[in-house]
Amino acid sequence: MLPEANYEESEAGNLPLPSPLEGEDGGRIGTATRWNRRRAAIRAEFARIMYGELPPRPEAVRFELRRECDDAIDGIAIRREIRIHLEQGRKHHCIDVLWYLPKSVKEPVPAIVGMNFRGNHACSPEPDVFPPEFFPLDEPVERGSQTGRWCFRQLVESGFSVATAFRGDLFPDRADGRADSVFRLYREADGLTPEHRELTAISAWAFGYVQMLELLETDPRIDRRRIWAHGHSRLGKTALWAAANEPRFAGVVSNDSGCCGAALSRRNFGETVGRITQMFPWWFQKELDRYAGCEAELPFDQHFLLALAAPRPVLVASATEDLWADPRGEFLSARAAGEVYRLFGCEGIGDAEFPAPEQPVFGDAVGYYLRTGIHDVTPVDWKFVTDFIRRNS
Ligand code: GTR
């Protein structure tokens, strides 16, 4: 039986944090060059203990334009629906991307890549966006039911391109989802059972982020140096892992990513490693189960994950009512990551204190804010996100 989740700050524990700059030999990492080696070792530890490795690049990748509408969102955007075909030997797997571009731009635009929970057709107010075809959700999803989270009009009006794909295209989000996941390309069915924890949903989704980045890079209307990864909740964990693995992401936004995302594991507040590994074993390596209840033994904490993005900018967002994701633990993690950013001459958020809602702490390459409200993505979030990206690119 799992203990009740703790929501008392006085009980959070706040165990001392390890430092990402503590070398394996006990010596202190003091230069960006030495950090690069240390960084590789930390990334490998996250892969071994928590997230597994991203699937390898398939033998062939092909982009099929299924539909283009140059009069989308009341004429302000171009909408493209692209099927990414992944081919490995005789095996084939697809990812469907919904992609908006602002129409009236003279120069290449920045872009945001993010994965969605319920299908592309759920994200858009437009009535004819293709729904997921291959591995639909268990229950029917209403068109447009996630438009509150995907503020395409607002983003396009702010000069951003945005692309999204359904998480189920990469790994259906359930214990036996591995069998229908992108890992099918590399394994036979008996290697895709729930026991094969090394093939994780988070790494499959992160691989989807990289595929979207590569798609956007082919278009001269996109500024390739300003393609950001963005994710909410489990997909926020994913966006951080994608940026840790793919240096071409210019920066990363974690929205309410919580436990095993931005939030520190060494705090006992809201969701814990014990709970998450019981509820969602297919997201993580089996190795992580060992740390349930003994998080202090992890060789890293989640500020190491944020620091894997350095010196690229990282924005951590929380919501006041989303205590499950431990907003203060997300803040402390963002602050602690600053240690690595300082090696690169960036101040991070310095020694800022936990801010009041709607009072962003936009430091030097590291940002944090707390939004009033529940676990969600809202127009207020996107406003903070686009402001932060503009300041940091
Ligand atoms: C919860 C999970 C969180 C978060 C969330 C979500 O049930 O415990 O870690 O990932 O799902 O993705 O909405």
Side-chain angles (χ1 to χ4, degrees):
M1 262 293 277
L2 289 167
E4 288 266 299
N6 171 54
Y7 292 112
E8 295 297 331
E9 186 53 38
S10 58
E11 304 285 311
N14 284 307
L15 298 171
L17 295 180
S19 165
L21 297 181
E22 208 70 63
E24 270 128 294
D25 54 3
R28 185 111 186 128
I29 311 285
T31 63
T33 318
R34 282 199 61 207
W35 164 251
N36 286 337
R37 199 167 336 132
R38 173 83 178 120
R39 181 193 184 282
I42 293 173
R43 194 217 61 84
E45 283 291 82
F46 272 108
R48 183 178 70 81
I49 296 172
M50 199 171 262
Y51 308 116
E53 294 284 1
L54 271 59
R57 172 187 293 276
E59 283 160 8
V61 178
R62 208 158 37 80
F63 303 133
E64 174 201 353
L65 178 61
R66 298 177 74 202
R67 184 154 54 201
E68 180 158 66
C69 164
D70 63 5
D71 208 19
I73 321 186
D74 297 331
I76 64 164
I78 297 164
R79 183 178 99 219
R80 312 190 86 204
E81 288 174 86
I82 307 247
R83 177 162 289 172
I84 305 180
H85 295 269
L86 309 170
E87 287 155 9
Q88 183 77 8
R90 296 202 322 277
K91 293 192 188 163
H92 174 240
H93 195 92
C94 298
I95 310 169
D96 285 340
V97 180
L98 169 63
W99 177 12
Y100 287 96
L101 283 138
K103 221 157 95 177
S104 59
V105 285
K106 315 258 167 323
E107 288 178 351
V109 293
I112 295 173
V113 162
M115 200 158 273
N116 68 70
F117 278 75
R118 296 163 71 83
N120 297 343
H121 69 311
C123 304
S124 176
E126 300 187 295
D128 56 342
V129 170
F130 290 118
E133 198 172 306
F134 299 103
F135 308 114
L137 288 167
D138 302 334
E139 81 272 26
V141 172
E142 220 180 293
R143 272 187 181 282
S145 55
Q146 300 261 289
T147 48
R149 281 191 178 176
W150 290 92
C151 303
F152 293 130
R153 176 188 294 275
Q154 180 182 335
L155 285 165
V156 165
E157 282 176 347
S158 313
F160 282 79
S161 177
V162 52
T164 185
F166 172 46
R167 65 185 157 142
D169 282 5
L170 281 306
F171 195 121
D173 199 352
R174 38 172 214 263
D176 61 356
R178 196 168 282 115
D180 292 328
S181 76
V182 65
F183 290 113
R184 289 185 314 118
L185 289 174
Y186 313 96
R187 294 263 184 117
E188 298 308 322
D190 60 356
L192 296 165
T193 65
E195 286 70 55
H196 287 90
R197 298 272 302 273
E198 71 282 9
L199 311 178
T200 69
I202 288 186
S203 274
W205 298 330
F207 168 88
Y209 274 76
V210 178
Q211 300 312 306
M212 284 193 270
L213 173 133
E214 295 198 343
L215 166 66
L216 267 57
E217 279 192 338
T218 62
D219 193 312
R221 291 169 292 187
I222 302 291
D223 181 349
R224 316 163 54 120
R225 291 158 314 154
R226 285 189 294 163
I227 303 178
W228 284 58
H230 175 282
H232 169 60
S233 204
R234 67 199 68 186
L235 299 173
K237 310 180 208 299
T238 304
L240 291 169
W241 184 232
N245 282 280
E246 178 45 72
R248 285 175 290 173
F249 280 114
V252 55
V253 182
S254 148
N255 191 83
D256 306 350
S257 64
C259 182
C260 296
L264 295 173
S265 304
R266 278 170 179 72
R267 276 166 57 85
N268 173 27
F269 195 101
E271 190 172 31
T272 56
V273 169
R275 285 173 173 272
I276 205 166
T277 48
Q278 279 215 358
M279 294 278 293
F280 303 104
W282 61 95
W283 294 359
F284 302 109
Q285 286 273 30
K286 181 157 180 46
E287 186 68 13
L288 189 60
D289 300 357
R290 291 190 19 202
Y291 294 93
C294 46
E295 290 80 1
E297 287 169 27
L298 279 163
F300 49 71
D301 210 313
Q302 295 307 107
H303 59 307
F304 286 45
L305 177 66
L306 303 181
L308 289 179
R312 296 166 295 160
V314 57
L315 174 61
V316 174
S318 314
T320 53
E321 290 174 45
D322 187 17
L323 298 181
W324 184 241
D326 187 12
R328 189 180 292 268
E330 298 194 306
F331 168 75
L332 293 172
S333 175
R335 192 168 74 183
E339 200 181 6
V340 174
Y341 281 82
R342 283 188 279 281
L343 281 186
F344 292 90
C346 306
E347 273 311 298
I349 54 177
D351 53 8
E353 292 298 326
F354 189 50
E358 280 75 58
Q359 300 293 319
V361 185
F362 284 174
D364 184 12
V366 181
Y368 176 86
Y369 71 85
L370 180 64
R371 167 184 53 75
T372 300
I374 59 166
H375 184 70
D376 201 359
V377 193
T378 71
V380 173
D381 288 304
W382 288 116
K383 171 83 173 75
F384 284 133
V385 167
T386 49
D387 284 354
F388 183 76
I389 295 181
R390 274 210 209 84
R391 292 168 67 116
N392 284 282
S393 50

